[in-house]
Amino acid sequence: MRSWTDTLRFAFQPVVNLMIGGVAALEILARPESGDVLAEARRDPELDGLLAVSALRAAVRRETLLPLHLNVFAGTLADLGGLQPLHDAVREAGRLPWEVTLDVCPPYTHVPRRALLDAVAVLRRQGFRIAADGVGDGDAPLRLLTDLAPELVKLDASLLARPAAVRAMRVLCEESGALLAVEGVETEAQCAVARAAGAQLAQGELFAPPARLPTVDVYVPPGSPGLVPPRSGPSVRQFVRPAALLPATASAGRVRALLTGSPDVSGVLLVDRDGVPVRSVHRSRFLLSMSGRYGHALYADRPAAKLGDPPRTVGVDATAWEVLDVVAVGGPNRTSDDVAVVDARGRCVGVVRLADLVRALAESRVEEAAGLNPLTRLPGSDAITAEVDRRVAAGRAFALSWLDVDRFKQVNDGAGFAAGDELIRAVGRALLQAAAGEMRVGHIGGDDFLVLTDPDGLDPLAASVLDVPWSAGGRPVTLSLATVLCAPGSVPDHRRAAACLAPLKKAAKALCGASWVLGRADAPGHEIRRGTDRTTAPAG
């Protein structure tokens, strides 16, 4: 009698890093030739656990060194209290538990919450990483999602039609220290939305379909990286590559076999039983030592750690600039070494390469320079509107202000364009000097500026530009300021905020002298903070 294992095959689908365009991991998918073993596994926890073990062994047979993603139903974990057979199989295969991410799949309805959380805690103690799968198209309660505290959240591609929801999930992931992935990406347009919304990882037919053999040959459309914190630089999470890991006791011969059989591996990290890096073996230096006269005879059976160096490590919350600081420490012969990225427990989650960082940071500087106004060297509207969308997604209150020069054409006509340009530069400098904390300043063209700040930063902003006696070519000049206060939930995106600001600008321009009009996105009307109504101003 044939068992379900006789007709079951597995396919491999790459998990793609959208920043560096490489394969971050492989998800192992069950593909039965007949019947519906997945439906049976949903009802039978023991069968589901066996599927996970079989998927692992299928990957091991293909000798892939990439981290693995294995699927398991939430109900299975709650019923079994963990997956001890899988843990044993990982050890028997010579892999490390922290190289395996368990994609916890819906349904969650009727799954005992406490039992599920206890099982996840057991898996984490064993070293496994946890991903919440099917978010957005499943039944995962938000509270349960935060309690699970997954290292990775996988969104269904249907949410890409609602970019604000993806951005909101990105903010949640940033707060909890998780990565964000989008599954089922089929078109370049979907990929662009995923990037713009801040997803770091993605899967789907666009990159590579599930295949019988593991592949690292994926198609990743060119494009700008996802949203990154504006001042601190890109997060190191966006550059993490899979690490080649071996036990700290591995012999030099074993390391040599791994390196010669895997030409894309730039180095090997030797880790202790808990996955903490203890030595770093650089490919070129190691192979040079082994290939020298008597090298193999001297070192092959000795611990590879003898030919390694102390590892360079950064935390998962580090920025790309912090990685460069780590690379700068030490001798110049180690500038090409991989830097290990470690979690809060010191376990290796991957490596970053200097070339990836330099390329991305150089590109970001070029893009930033291209977006700067040549007169003031301030960013344009795109930088401000992107930050507005981030604050909307984070549920933060903010104030968006529009500042311009009154009758600027007359200033140019009367004082000359050189005097007008100098006035604009002076206003830009004043705004930059006033910028504090998370205030953002943009020059959107001509005499128009956009300023984004917290509500309590408005009075210092107004004083910095309205209490100054401005002039151009000896002619006195006044400025107009319009501000819209946006409470959490009052606007869906930057477009609505800009629409609320437009009539306030018109109202400010209708006043005499230096003016300031303040309105609220969720209420009609406005308040005149500075300036005089022309209809009531004294004649002369």
Side-chain angles (χ1 to χ4, degrees), residues 114-385:
R114 186 69 265 161
L116 174 59
L117 295 178
D118 288 345
V120 167
V122 169
L123 292 166
R124 280 206 170 96
R125 285 195 295 271
Q126 292 174 335
F128 292 108
R129 303 185 190 281
I130 303 298
D133 202 355
V135 175
D137 195 40
D139 60 343
L142 189 57
R143 178 187 171 190
L144 177 61
L145 185 62
T146 56
D147 288 344
L148 282 173
E151 284 80 11
L152 174 65
V153 173
K154 288 189 171 185
L155 297 185
D156 186 85
S158 62
L159 277 189
L160 293 176
R162 301 168 179 82
V166 183
R167 290 194 297 270
M169 188 57 66
R170 166 66 188 265
V171 172
L172 177 63
C173 288
E174 287 179 348
E175 292 292 329
S176 63
L179 293 175
L180 182 64
V182 179
E183 296 182 292
V185 176
E186 297 181 351
T187 67
E188 293 195 9
Q190 287 182 318
C191 181
V193 173
R195 271 189 169 123
Q200 296 106 336
L201 304 172
Q203 294 174 259
E205 296 279 342
L206 174 67
F207 311 106
R212 295 294 191 191
L213 296 175
T215 180
V216 294
D217 185 17
V218 295
Y219 168 71
V220 181
S224 299
L227 299 175
V228 296
R231 290 181 183 264
S232 58
S235 167
V236 72
R237 296 170 183 270
Q238 296 176 286
F239 303 95
V240 174
R241 290 178 177 268
L245 304 177
L246 285 177
T249 56
S251 68
R254 185 175 178 186
V255 172
R256 182 177 183 276
L258 188 156
L259 291 175
T260 55
S262 307
D264 293 333
V265 173
S266 56
V268 176
L269 287 173
L270 305 178
V271 297
D272 64 16
R273 290 180 59 84
D274 296 321
V276 177
V278 294
R279 300 294 281 180
S280 174
V281 178
H282 184 268
R283 179 187 187 90
S284 298
R285 294 198 299 273
F286 175 84
L287 292 179
L288 184 62
S289 297
M290 291 290 288
S291 62
R293 190 176 185 184
Y294 308 123
H296 188 272
L298 284 172
Y299 298 116
D301 296 326
R302 299 182 66 186
K306 298 283 187 181
L307 296 175
D309 299 289
R312 291 176 164 177
T313 62
V314 295
V316 292
D317 295 323
T319 67
W321 295 110
E322 291 173 298
V323 178
L324 293 183
D325 290 339
V326 171
V327 172
V329 176
N333 63 315
R334 295 199 63 190
T335 54
S336 62
D337 287 20
D338 293 342
V339 176
V341 181
V342 298
D343 62 16
R345 296 166 60 180
R347 301 177 307 180
C348 180
V349 300
V351 295
V352 291
R353 295 180 181 175
L354 178 63
D356 290 336
L357 297 184
V358 172
R359 186 184 310 112
L361 292 174
E363 289 174 354
S364 70
R365 284 290 181 258
V366 171
E367 290 176 0
E368 180 183 332
L372 297 180
N373 187 287
L375 185 61
T376 59
R377 307 305 294 168
L378 288 172
S381 60
D382 287 349
I384 304 299
T385 55

Side-chain angles (χ1 to χ4, degrees), residues 27-43:
E27 182 173 357
I28 321 301
L29 304 168
R31 290 290 186 264
E33 293 181 1
S34 61
D36 194 348
V37 69
L38 295 180
E40 295 179 35
R42 177 176 167 180
R43 297 187 295 268

Side-chain angles (χ1 to χ4, degrees), residues 507-516 528 530-538:
K509 300 298 288 184
L511 300 175
C512 293
S515 60
W516 180 19
I528 297 177
R530 301 278 187 97
T532 306
D533 192 319
R534 294 184 187 276
T535 61
T536 60

